[in-house]
Structures are given as structure tokens and as C-alpha cells.
Amino acid sequence: MNCRETTLAACVVGNTRITIDDVVAIASRNVGVTLSDDPRFTRRINAGANYLERLLADGGTIYGVTTGYGDSCTVAVPPELIAELPLHLTRYHGCGLGEYLSPEAVRAVLVARLVSLAQGASGVRRVLLERLVDLLNHDLLPCIPAEGSVGASGDLTPLSYVAATLVGEREALFRGELASAADAWKTLGLAPLTLAPKEGLAIMNGTAVMTGLACLAVARADYLSRLCCRITALASVAMRGNPGHFDPRLFAVKPHAGQIEAARWIWDDLGGNAATSDAESVRLQDRYSIRCAPHVIGVARDALSWIRRDVENELNSANDNPIIDGEEGWVLHGGHFYGGHIAFAMDGLKTAVANLADLMDRQLALLVDSRYNHGLPQNLSGTVGPRAPINHGFKAVQIGASAWTAEALKLTMPASVFSRSTECHNQDKVSMGTIAARDCLRVLELTEQVAAALVLATTQAAELRFRGETPMLTPACAGFVGAVRAHSEFLDEDRPLEGDLRRTTELIRERHWNFDD
């Protein structure tokens, strides 16, 4: 992480490449943010803003500064109205709908916009960057509606809420409480920002919303794929599976890196020995949801490598329009606000993640079915004796997991192919990247719920398998079972499991368990 120690650990923006891990750390409030004090960074930022001032003084024509926006770029703005133009851009885009982004998501969006503007190719002043830092460090978060962006010409509508907070308009969350942005700035002893001529456009005309959401999605998918390996190992042990399915020698002949990685994690969790189980009780070949788990998880692992690359490239890019080089003295108009890479990455990731949901759903279906679970009780019920007939264990949980999986699979329709022509056919080919990122997060949410169900079920199954015997679990798996039991008791008599599932889902989302030990 590009972080340094101050009174609070702070991630330094400017002259360094920011990673997804940096974004997640800031979004989670584990670190703060500071701007680089490197003179080269300051010089580059100042050069862009100063160059724009000179162009305006010389009567130059600059899109979105001396002209209207989008299809209105042919409309000249009179000199006396140029200063008001940015504020109008922020106001007429204040039409978002839907649920508001979570505080974590808003922080990720703010980091993404800050990093992009800090590339020094947007013609903004350093004070604008400082105010974005203030939003993060003082926990002053714009209330950003999730819906209203087509992902080209940037995330205009959602990012207008960032601009509005900076200028002291609309409502924001200030230290967790709803407040007017103007009152929040007053409390902080700071004046709202007065936007320079291009700064409204620079804040809004970029891919920050989809990129911020994509950073969170990548981190969650990375953890989920690792968790899927751990619970696959537990499922295999509980059903007396064949550990040889994960032998490194087997995967050496089909060398997909992610598949090898997933198999190795499962193999290590099983103890790294194909002969760890009783040979007479081990099947020659387990069903596909166990035997082929590395092949399913491996696709997600390999996809994450290129998805991480593309998301971090977008994160560390200047993605607005026009692009300005104040040091070299040029302005070029283009389409860097187009979110195609994020759209395709999120469409790909949501499909890979939904396949994890499907895999875990099938594993759970095996575990609860006494025809296929190799001697475990029907529905993993922990009740024995005369009360056993009225207890149904994980029967309803399996139904719920099936429903969550079905919804995740339904959402895998790619958003990126649903381009719409908007804004008088100026934006006639758009990315839909923000919708793809939102879909991906919803698929992750549903898949984490499936994973929570399987975490509880495999823990129950392992304990049922070895009840009264010495558990055949590696220290890592035994420790994991113990950690699960710290918040969810063994299911003996039927009880509502909603609370257990919600807490387990929350722990997964928080990436609570460490798999590096």
C-alpha cells in the first residue's frame, strides 16, 4: 500500500500508483488520505489550472468551459456567464434515483475521483483535490443515488452529488448524521468550494462511480473465492470425499494458474495427503461439485488477475474530457470518460461469482441429502432419539440458498451490451459500466449469503461426521470450525437461523477470517 505513518496512517495520493487494496482500506476507514507534497506533483497540478486561465484570458474555445455541454457544445457561453456554468452542470444533473450508495461505496467513489484528478490532466486546482481529501478525512459523504448513469460521458448524475457537496448544496452524511452540506462545511470551519470554470465538468465527467464500486467488488470476490476453497475442503471431509481430487500432480497437467491455486488451497486444508481418509470409505470419484471445485473456483481466480489489472489501470487514469497538459501546453478532446473496461470487467466478474454461488448451492444440496452425503443425517439435523422426527435441521436453509443462487444467476445478463443512445444522440454508444458494477455487487451479496449457508452447514456436517470420534481436520480447518462456533451454536433442536446467517454473511463481507495462517 502507498501509505505512510502520520498521526493516522494515511494513503498518499499523487506521483504514486494507487491499488485496489488502497481504495478498500480508505473506504473501510482503516487509513486516511493525504496529498503528495512532491514539488513535481504540485507543479503539474498548478500548470494545468494556470494554462486554462491563460486560454480563457486569450479568448480560447474550450469544451465545457466556453461552450455548453454534450450536444450543446456548439452553443457559445458569453464571457460574463462562464463562471456560472459549472454550477448549472451540477444542478441540472441532480436527478438521481434509487437507493443511496453505502458510506463505504461513497468513500470508494471519492478516492477514485481524487486519484483520477490527481493525474494532473484535468486542469483543476490543488484546492479542489484538498477538498476531496477533506470529504474523506472528515467523514463528510455526499448522498449519492445509485441509479442514473449510463457509464459514458462519465458518471455524470451520481458525481453531481459529489460536486454539490463540495459547493455546499444538497444533503450529505456528516459523521454518520444527515445534514446540509453548507452546515457541515461551517462546522468544519471551511468555506464551500467555488468551482473554477472546468472544475464542475472535471468532477463529474469520469468513471469514478463504476471504478470505486469495482474496487469493492474485486476485494469481495477475491475473499469469497478463498473462502469457497476452505468450505469445499470441509464439505469433502464431512462427506468422506476423495482428497486425491486435489493432488498437485493432477493439476500440473492442466496448468491454469488460478485452478492450481484453488486446488492447492483445498489440498492443504485436507492435510496434503491423498491417503488421509479410510481407503474403504473413499469413493473413486466424487460428484462434480466437489471434484471439479478447483476448476470452477479457478476460473474466478484467473479472471480476477486481469480484472484487477484493468480496474487499477482505470483507477490510475485521467478519465474526463477534455484532457489538458499545462506543462506542454495542449488541450485534446476525446472519450476517456467511456467506462468500457470496467463494464466488461464487472460483467465478467459477476458471471464468475455467480458460478461460485451455483457451486456452493450444489455442495449444500449434497450435504443435506442422506442419499448422497455418505452417512450424514438427513438435512444435517443434530437431533437423535425420540425427538428426531420433528426436527428438520438445514432443510429450509437449503431452499433459501437455492433461491439466492437463482437470483444471482438471473443477474448475469451482461449490462455492457445494452447500450442506449442518449442526450440528442451525442452519447449514442455508452458503456453501462455503472449498472454492470452495481449488478456485480448484488451478485456478490447473494453469493455471500449462499456462502454463509454453506459455512454453517459444513461446520455442522464436520461435527456430525466426527461426533464421538477424533476429528480428521487439519489445524486450519479445525480453527475455522471453532471460529464459526463462536457466533453460531451447533444446531440440535430446530431454531430460527436468520440471525446466524446474517451474522455469518456480515463476517464474510468484512473478510473476517484470515486464510493466510
Side-chain angles (χ1 to χ4, degrees):
M1 181 181 293
N2 300 311
C3 294
R4 65 186 182 190
E5 290 295 324
T6 59
T7 53
L8 172 71
C11 194
V12 182
V13 173
N15 283 354
T16 51
R17 187 172 174 84
I18 299 299
T19 68
I20 287 172
D21 292 339
D22 293 332
V23 175
V24 172
I26 298 167
S28 303
R29 302 209 76 197
N30 291 325
V31 297
V33 186
T34 187
L35 287 180
S36 171
D37 55 12
D38 187 326
R40 293 170 299 175
F41 168 68
T42 302
R43 184 168 58 248
R44 186 169 72 249
I45 296 298
N46 290 340
N50 293 338
Y51 179 61
L52 271 181
E53 284 187 11
R54 293 196 302 272
L55 281 178
L56 281 174
D58 292 341
T61 299
I62 309 165
Y63 167 73
V65 178
T66 62
T67 75
Y69 299 111
D71 181 63
S72 301
C73 66
T74 57
V75 178
V77 177
E80 65 273 16
L81 296 179
I82 286 175
E84 293 185 50
L85 185 62
L87 204 53
H88 277 260
L89 179 70
T90 70
R91 286 172 176 167
Y92 79 78
H93 275 289
C95 57
L97 290 177
E99 295 183 359
Y100 291 97
L101 297 182
S102 69
E104 181 186 37
V106 172
R107 293 187 196 100
V109 169
L110 293 174
V111 178
R113 201 73 211 118
L114 172 63
V115 173
S116 178
L117 296 178
Q119 302 305 306
S122 299
V124 302
R125 299 165 298 163
R126 184 181 174 100
V127 66
L128 171 56
L129 306 183
E130 291 169 346
R131 284 292 182 270
L132 287 169
V133 170
D134 287 334
L135 294 182
L136 288 161
N137 289 344
H138 293 295
D139 199 24
L140 174 53
L141 305 179
C143 295
I144 303 178
E147 298 170 9
S149 174
V150 294
S153 203
D155 288 314
L156 291 168
T157 289
L159 287 175
S160 79
Y161 290 79
V162 175
T165 298
L166 290 171
V167 302
E169 295 188 356
R170 304 183 203 170
E171 290 186 318
L173 279 180
F174 183 42
R175 297 168 181 167
E177 299 292 333
L178 194 64
S180 76
D183 288 345
W185 287 119
K186 185 176 181 180
T187 300
L188 292 172
L190 295 169
L193 189 68
T194 299
L195 297 173
K198 185 182 178 287
E199 288 179 343
L201 188 63
I203 295 167
M204 295 165 52
N205 196 22
T207 61
V209 176
M210 68 182 81
T211 302
L213 299 182
C215 288
L216 300 181
V218 169
R220 287 167 68 174
D222 183 86
Y223 183 83
L224 192 58
S225 64
R226 183 64 185 88
L227 174 64
C228 199
C229 292
R230 171 63 52 83
I231 52 185
T232 293
L234 279 173
S236 176
V237 170
M239 291 188 287
R240 296 197 187 277
N242 184 347
H245 294 326
F246 313 105
D247 194 311
R249 294 171 297 179
L250 180 63
F251 288 89
V253 302
K254 191 176 183 183
H256 293 296
Q259 181 175 278
I260 291 172
E261 183 179 47
R264 168 59 74 176
W265 285 335
I266 299 169
W267 176 254
D268 288 345
D269 278 346
L270 292 174
N273 187 344
T276 53
S277 299
D278 180 356
E280 293 184 359
S281 65
V282 171
R283 290 173 297 285
L284 184 63
Q285 293 190 155
D286 289 321
R287 287 171 176 80
Y288 284 15
S289 62
I290 299 298
R291 191 187 349 153
C292 299
H295 307 77
V296 178
I297 302 168
V299 172
R301 296 301 305 174
D302 281 322
L304 280 165
S305 64
W306 66 262
I307 289 170
R308 180 179 289 273
R309 178 203 68 197
D310 285 359
V311 171
E312 290 186 346
N313 279 342
E314 189 74 30
L315 175 66
N316 290 279
S317 72
N319 47 63
D320 62 351
N321 175 56
I323 297 298
I324 297 163
D325 189 320
E327 293 176 313
E328 294 290 332
W330 52 258
V331 177
L332 290 175
H333 296 78
H336 285 353
F337 46 68
Y338 193 89
H341 280 81
I342 297 295
F344 190 71
M346 292 297 97
D347 278 347
L349 186 59
K350 70 186 183 185
T351 300
V353 170
N355 265 302
L356 298 183
D358 199 34
L359 176 75
M360 291 186 287
D361 176 57
R362 295 300 83 211
Q363 291 177 351
L364 181 54
L366 293 179
L367 281 164
V368 299
D369 195 329
S370 59
R371 294 172 298 176
Y372 307 112
N373 63 20
H374 213 56
L376 292 171
Q378 182 76 2
N379 296 311
L380 302 179
S381 175
T383 307
V384 294
R387 297 186 61 78
I390 65 169
N391 281 278
H392 293 79
F394 280 76
K395 178 187 282 286
V397 171
Q398 192 272 324
I399 296 171
S402 184
W404 307 324
T405 300
E407 187 172 347
L409 295 173
K410 180 177 70 70
L411 289 172
T412 57
M413 174 73 74
S416 56
V417 298
F418 283 90
S419 174
R420 312 288 296 166
S421 185
T422 65
E423 206 255 311
C424 299
H425 299 292
N426 174 51
Q427 301 174 18
D428 61 346
K429 173 60 178 167
V430 294
S431 77
M432 296 296 181
T434 309
I435 295 173
R438 287 173 39 229
D439 281 351
C440 187
L441 287 171
R442 177 57 178 158
V443 169
L444 277 159
E445 181 179 41
L446 291 161
T447 305
E448 287 162 349
Q449 291 173 187
V450 178
L454 192 57
V455 164
L456 298 181
T458 53
T459 298
Q460 177 90 353
E463 292 183 331
L464 288 169
R465 172 62 66 194
F466 301 113
R467 188 153 52 180
E469 303 177 15
T470 302
M472 293 175 55
L473 297 176
T474 58
C477 283
F480 181 78
V481 168
V484 173
R485 281 289 171 254
H487 73 269
S488 178
E489 295 180 356
F490 179 81
L491 182 62
D492 188 354
E493 284 282 322
D494 288 343
R495 68 174 188 271
L497 288 175
E498 179 186 344
D500 301 63
L501 288 163
R502 287 190 182 278
R503 179 57 181 151
T504 306
T505 302
E506 182 182 351
L507 292 172
I508 293 170
R509 199 160 297 150
E510 294 171 350
R511 297 178 285 283
H512 175 75
W513 295 293
N514 183 6
F515 298 112
D516 295 328
D517 296 337

